[in-house]
Amino acid sequence: MAKKAILDVLENTIGHYVKNLDAESLNLAIWSGKIELQNLQLDTLSINAELAERAHDAPNLASPFRVIDGHFEKLQLDVPWAKLGSKPVIFRAKGLQVWVEPHDFLMDEVAPKKDQTRSAKRENKGNTS
């Protein structure tokens, strides 16, 4: 049960950026506060979508590359359960390898936001009568 709860939290935070976040990659010593994830593959589509969105939000800070592959050998979290209000949660990443290639996100077409797409569909529906 604790493993499932921890996985849910991790999926809502780093889960957007890694592919194989599951119970098999999770080593858990819950009561000692040691959480370890091994061999996580980066989700390049999600990472590049985030880079593109940020490039269009702040063009002067746009990344000059896109991620083509990558993985973490190990991610570790140290959670001080007894002193959670006064001590930090420590996050360590080991063995990160990222392959990138030059890319100009500002030259890409901006994908419409979900809300804008829904509005356009509603408008088109109204115009077909």
Side-chain angles (χ1 to χ4, degrees):
M1 186 162 137
K3 199 173 206 179
K4 172 80 171 107
I6 297 290
L7 267 176
D8 287 345
V9 170
L10 291 172
E11 284 175 353
N12 288 323
T13 53
I14 65 169
H16 302 287
Y17 305 106
V18 296
K19 288 183 181 176
N20 56 333
L21 183 59
D22 56 27
E24 290 180 18
S25 65
L26 180 63
N27 290 328
L28 190 60
I30 189 74
W31 304 118
S32 69
K34 304 288 185 197
I35 300 165
E36 187 174 283
L37 297 153
Q38 297 179 349
N39 302 318
L40 294 175
Q41 192 71 25
L42 295 180
D43 185 343
T44 57
L45 291 175
S46 294
I47 292 169
N48 289 325
E50 182 77 21
L51 290 172
E53 184 177 327
R54 290 177 185 252
H56 289 283
D57 289 346
N60 58 330
L61 300 176
S63 171
F65 59 84
R66 70 174 161 204
V67 178
I68 55 172
D69 196 14
H71 68 272
F72 284 101
E73 185 178 303
K74 188 184 299 185
L75 291 178
Q76 297 174 308
L77 284 89
D78 294 332
V79 183
W81 297 115
K83 299 179 181 179
L84 201 51
S86 61
K87 295 228 176 191
V89 173
I90 299 171
F91 182 89
R92 292 183 184 95
K94 294 182 179 180
L96 172 63
Q97 293 185 358
V98 180
W99 289 264
V100 298
E101 66 184 6
H103 186 75
D104 186 354
F105 285 104
L106 297 174
M107 298 300 289
D108 291 347
E109 285 289 321
V110 180
K113 301 281 186 202
K114 288 180 184 177
D115 292 338
Q116 292 171 341
T117 304
R118 287 184 190 135
S119 296
K121 284 181 182 177
R122 276 189 236 126
E123 287 175 19
N124 287 337
K125 215 178 205 182
N127 291 338
T128 58
S129 50

